[in-house]
Amino acid sequence: MTRVLIVDDQALLRASFRLLVDSEPDLTVVGEAGTGAEAVSLASSLAPDVVLMDIRMPEMDGIEATRLLSGPRVLVLTTFDLDEYVFGALRAGASGFLLKDTPPAELLAAIRVVAAGESLLSPSVTRRLISEFVRQPSSPVVSGLERLTEREKEVLLLIARGLSNAEIMAALHVSTGTVKTHIGNLLAKLHARDRAQLVIAAYESGLVS
């Protein structure tokens, strides 16, 4: 059973999300929060697996709240399809980014993907991330890049372009297990939490321009 915390400043939306999530046998809503600060507090006491996080909220926005969460996976939901929100949310540690008008079935699938430890990072979101990144005046140095093998760098490049595991497997003519092994090595060597963080590392390191 995947435990979900819903965070949105609109009570009607929280209620709608709760009905949708609770309708699934493998998902359950453990709490609701109307502000970022409340989300951080509830996440500590309720220990959810996934947090559905709104961006624009009073007191503390969703990006800051995401930055303060260390346990649950965060799936950001917003009505604003803007570069700054995509970039800010992913930099803060979010594992996925969806618009609130996403079809219900896709939202439920996204919760399961994020709960399983994967990242919901489509090519379109990757393009927004790149667009925002190049506007940044400077970037921190990414440690661990020198420890990567040539094949690991190749896999990192493909991840940064938004390719899925299956697409990487086809591009490099390797097995699924081999792709997963390379990604596991990348996560460990670059101290990244998930695929989204690997994309950011690829651009911040200058490996991709």
Side-chain angles (χ1 to χ4, degrees):
M1 183 68 74
T2 298
R3 298 163 56 82
V4 180
L5 173 64
I6 298 172
V7 185
D8 197 291
D9 62 344
Q10 297 184 47
L12 183 58
L13 278 178
R14 292 200 306 271
S16 298
F17 288 141
R18 175 183 280 273
L19 285 173
L20 176 64
V21 173
D22 278 340
S23 69
E24 298 298 296
D26 60 327
L27 306 175
T28 184
V29 174
V30 295
E32 299 179 18
T35 69
E38 188 180 0
V40 174
S41 177
L42 285 179
S44 177
S45 60
L46 298 176
D49 300 303
V50 176
V51 177
L52 292 184
M53 182 75 75
D54 187 20
I55 289 288
R56 291 190 173 184
M57 293 181 291
E59 297 182 29
M60 179 189 295
D61 65 24
I63 293 177
E64 180 61 24
T66 297
R67 188 175 292 112
L68 294 175
L69 295 176
S70 58
R73 310 276 293 177
V74 177
L75 179 58
V76 171
L77 293 172
T78 181
T79 54
F80 303 96
D81 187 14
L82 301 177
D83 294 351
E84 62 183 292
Y85 295 114
V86 177
F87 186 78
L90 295 176
R91 282 293 302 272
S95 296
F97 180 96
L98 288 177
L99 295 179
K100 288 182 179 177
D101 61 0
T102 297
E106 290 184 19
L107 174 57
L108 293 171
I111 293 173
R112 295 184 177 100
V113 166
V114 169
E118 299 294 329
S119 296
L120 197 74
L121 194 61
S122 67
S124 62
V125 170
T126 302
R127 284 193 293 273
R128 295 188 194 100
L129 177 65
I130 296 166
S131 175
E132 180 62 24
F133 176 80
V134 298
R135 292 168 50 195
Q136 303 301 306
S138 62
S139 302
V141 176
V142 177
S143 62
L145 192 67
E146 70 285 350
R147 299 169 55 199
L148 301 184
T149 66
E150 289 305 311
R151 179 47 66 102
E152 287 167 353
K153 288 181 181 179
E154 194 172 4
V155 172
L156 181 59
L157 283 169
L158 296 177
I159 290 174
R161 291 171 185 156
L163 272 66
S164 66
N165 284 11
E167 291 169 331
I168 294 173
M169 180 180 67
L172 300 182
H173 306 290
V174 296
S175 68
T176 300
T178 298
V179 172
K180 289 182 177 179
T181 296
H182 286 316
I183 292 175
N185 290 340
L186 288 169
L187 292 171
K189 291 180 179 180
L190 297 180
H191 307 289
R193 187 169 71 175
D194 54 30
R195 201 182 195 90
Q197 299 298 301
L198 288 179
V199 173
I200 293 170
Y203 283 89
E204 289 185 335
S205 68
L207 184 64
V208 182
S209 61

